[in-house]
Amino acid sequence: MIQNLKPWLLTALALYGLQSAHAQNPFITNQFTADPTARVFGDRVYVYPSHDIPAAPGRGRAGWFVMEDYHVFSSANLIDWTDHGVIVTQNKVPWVKPDSYSMWAPDCIQRNGKYFFYFPTTPKDTTINGRGFTIGVAVADKPTGPFVPQPLPIKGVRGIDPNVLIDKDGQAYLYWSQGNIYGAKLKDNMLELAAEPKTLSELPTKGLKEGPYVFERKGIYYLTYPHVENKTERLEYATSTSPLGPFTVKGVIMDESPTGCWTNHHSLLPFKNQWYLFYHHNDLSPNFDKNRSVRIDSLSFAADGSINKVQPTLRGVGLTSAQQKIQLDRYSRLSKQGATIAFLDTANKFQGWKTVFSGGGGWVQYNGVAFGQQKLKTVSLRGTSSAGATVQIRLDNASGPVVAEVTVPKGAAWQEVKAPVLAFKSGTHALYVAPKSGAGAVEVDWVRFE
């Protein structure tokens, strides 16, 4: 979290326009992000998403996806994320229609010391590859850029959602979608097709298919993709013994959104001996699913290589330091009555959420809080209560030791209040937070130990 950074690093972040983000889902909360491609370069994970923005007069089409540029984010631990800023924008690519606002799902791959960023959008000259979307490349010496766009898109490619696989033998493949999903070998320069595209026709014929992401694990090639089987996209996968198939459809990675978000788009990777699924949902825009936000959850494989279905969470991944602001609204468990989650400010949803306790026995549990070994003496809580209330914080569960009781004074304004830690316990624990028995209604933004 940014409040824990050293002064010299804060200065550097401000100087270069970099921003810190949170670990919980969604893990980017200062802007809309979608279609996350995650890659490991060196000892960091880099995420290349698309960037949804609200439509405005002269800026995109109302009621539709509006995207004009790309950012890149990175993390060494999947908890603390840094925004490295804009790397490619539509009005600085020679071949792109400058007012298309169609910079859709990208990818980035490293080869021979160069980083190749692939992105789809609308060309201003339809004689290049025909009408509709095509795919271009920008090249950099570092994963964060600066990226230099090529003067023309890739010849012979029409479509969206580029994805690149470099196989064990060094052969690179480009995948994309346009009604069907296609794959083709790339030349060593990573800028041109080396062969005619192949239609990967073994996939479902019913419903939209797009967003391919291909990876290899233990000799099996996994083609993963969003597919509209019913009303919205779910994440599915097929497998093969060859990068270009034939593929056999195997199953579902993530079910359709329970809230009706029309799209999903994803990537998968191993990092420090754990696999993760990166995907998106419309957390910060619940009433408009064209403004999405990126998420991470853990993923695993069965012994036969099949992918175990991922259940989306708000808690996300990784441990949260007890000395950071613990956003209880990104809970692991929530009581069915007496506790709800709401936006702090419905006019500015980027401010995030709060936990609302109605005084009826509600509680929230947040797993994976790392207390470390050094004794922490106080707890801070940001809350508000019109009648005043005492919040009780326990370790692990409802019958765990009471670590603190924090009294939120009567008043309408948000207040940061402190209380002593009553029973410090080192190690990693869950927090179980609830109003003390008989307490009135109270709202909590976050808690933090010091």
Side-chain angles (χ1 to χ4, degrees):
M1 301 295 182
I2 200 163
Q3 66 269 16
N4 290 323
L5 297 177
K6 294 181 179 180
W8 67 266
L9 185 52
L10 282 172
T11 301
L13 289 172
L15 181 63
Y16 289 100
L18 306 182
Q19 297 185 12
S20 180
H22 300 294
Q24 300 88 1
N25 283 331
F27 65 93
I28 304 299
T29 56
N30 66 344
Q31 61 190 270
F32 295 119
T33 48
D35 313 316
T37 291
R39 298 291 189 184
V40 177
F41 298 134
D43 59 357
R44 296 182 71 84
V45 173
Y46 292 81
V47 173
Y48 299 86
S50 53
H51 181 199
D52 292 333
I53 60 174
R59 188 177 73 179
R61 169 183 159 191
W64 194 239
F65 304 101
V66 182
M67 307 169 179
E68 65 180 346
D69 59 28
Y70 298 100
H71 288 236
V72 59
F73 302 83
S74 77
S75 174
N77 57 13
L78 300 182
I79 299 170
D80 306 299
W81 289 90
T82 298
D83 179 357
H84 297 276
V86 174
I87 55 172
V88 173
T89 186
Q90 66 181 9
N91 58 13
K92 293 184 180 179
V93 181
W95 57 270
V96 172
K97 185 181 179 183
D99 59 350
S100 58
Y101 294 94
S102 58
M103 309 289 275
W104 288 14
D107 193 5
C108 189
I109 202 79
Q110 187 271 340
R111 185 163 204 172
N112 297 328
K114 297 288 186 181
Y115 295 85
F116 297 86
F117 180 76
Y118 297 81
F119 59 96
T121 190
T122 307
K124 57 187 175 185
D125 183 357
T126 58
T127 64
I128 298 174
N129 282 332
R131 295 180 62 84
F133 281 76
T134 189
I135 292 169
V137 190
V139 185
D141 294 325
K142 297 179 181 179
T144 56
F147 282 89
V148 178
Q150 297 296 296
L152 293 172
I154 302 173
K155 185 177 180 180
V157 176
R158 291 181 57 202
I160 60 174
D161 302 341
N163 166 242
V164 175
L165 167 73
I166 300 178
D167 203 5
K168 298 185 296 293
D169 61 4
Q171 177 63 58
Y173 297 83
L174 175 68
Y175 303 87
W176 67 96
S177 53
Q178 184 71 40
N180 291 297
I181 292 178
Y182 303 89
K185 289 183 177 181
L186 281 170
K187 291 184 178 180
D188 289 344
N189 64 13
M190 304 296 286
L191 304 174
E192 302 172 86
L193 297 188
E196 288 295 313
K198 179 181 179 181
T199 303
L200 307 182
S201 57
E202 306 87 15
L203 304 182
T205 56
K206 172 191 172 185
L208 175 69
K209 302 175 295 296
E210 57 181 2
Y213 187 85
V214 180
F215 66 95
E216 182 271 337
R217 177 183 179 270
K218 296 184 177 181
I220 300 174
Y221 293 88
Y222 293 79
L223 168 58
T224 66
Y225 53 93
H227 171 223
V228 180
E229 174 68 20
N230 296 305
K231 294 183 178 180
T232 64
E233 290 184 339
R234 68 185 189 187
L235 301 181
E236 301 178 4
Y237 75 104
T239 62
S240 176
T241 56
S242 169
L244 293 177
F247 286 91
T248 301
V249 174
K250 290 293 186 178
V252 176
I253 303 171
M254 180 175 282
D255 288 327
E256 294 182 7
S257 161
T259 61
C261 183
W262 176 40
T263 65
N264 202 350
H265 190 111
H266 66 294
S267 58
L268 302 86
L269 60 69
F271 183 62
K272 297 182 179 179
N273 300 314
Q274 171 63 51
W275 279 82
Y276 296 96
L277 175 69
F278 292 73
Y279 63 105
H280 71 231
H281 189 61
N282 60 322
D283 296 274
L284 290 166
S285 178
N287 298 319
F288 182 60
D289 62 1
K290 310 302 184 293
N291 289 162
R292 288 88 36 102
S293 298
V294 290
R295 290 178 166 192
I296 318 171
D297 274 302
S298 298
L299 175 140
S300 63
F301 295 81
D304 63 359
S306 59
I307 299 176
N308 294 318
K309 188 181 291 186
V310 176
Q311 299 297 328
T313 75
L314 293 176
R315 174 59 183 88
V317 301
L319 299 178
T320 300
S321 169
Q323 298 180 69
Q324 296 177 338
K325 291 179 180 177
I326 303 165
Q327 308 288 343
L328 299 175
D329 47 73
R330 307 295 87 192
Y331 59 84
S332 302
R333 296 174 63 214
L334 185 74
S335 59
K336 293 182 179 180
Q337 294 181 332
T340 57
I341 305 301
F343 284 105
L344 285 165
D345 182 354
T346 55
N348 181 10
K349 296 183 175 66
F350 290 133
Q351 288 191 21
W353 298 266
K354 60 185 177 183
T355 306
V356 181
F357 297 103
S358 62
W363 53 267
V364 62
Q365 181 175 313
Y366 184 102
N367 294 346
V369 178
F371 282 84
Q373 300 299 317
Q374 185 176 354
K375 185 176 181 179
L376 302 174
K377 298 179 180 180
T378 61
V379 61
S380 297
L381 178 149
R382 184 174 189 260
T384 180
S385 176
S386 59
T390 298
V391 176
Q392 197 171 67
I393 303 174
R394 294 179 179 268
L395 291 185
D396 301 322
N397 52 52
S399 59
V402 177
V403 68
E405 290 187 351
V406 186
T407 299
V408 180
K410 177 181 178 180
W414 285 95
Q415 304 177 69
E416 291 186 23
V417 290
K418 290 189 176 185
V421 170
L422 303 176
F424 176 78
K425 195 174 181 180
S426 63
T428 299
H429 304 276
L431 290 188
Y432 182 95
V433 180
K436 194 172 181 179
S437 179
V442 61
E443 299 180 358
V444 178
D445 185 4
W446 49 259
V447 299
R448 179 177 64 200
F449 294 82
E450 299 170 344

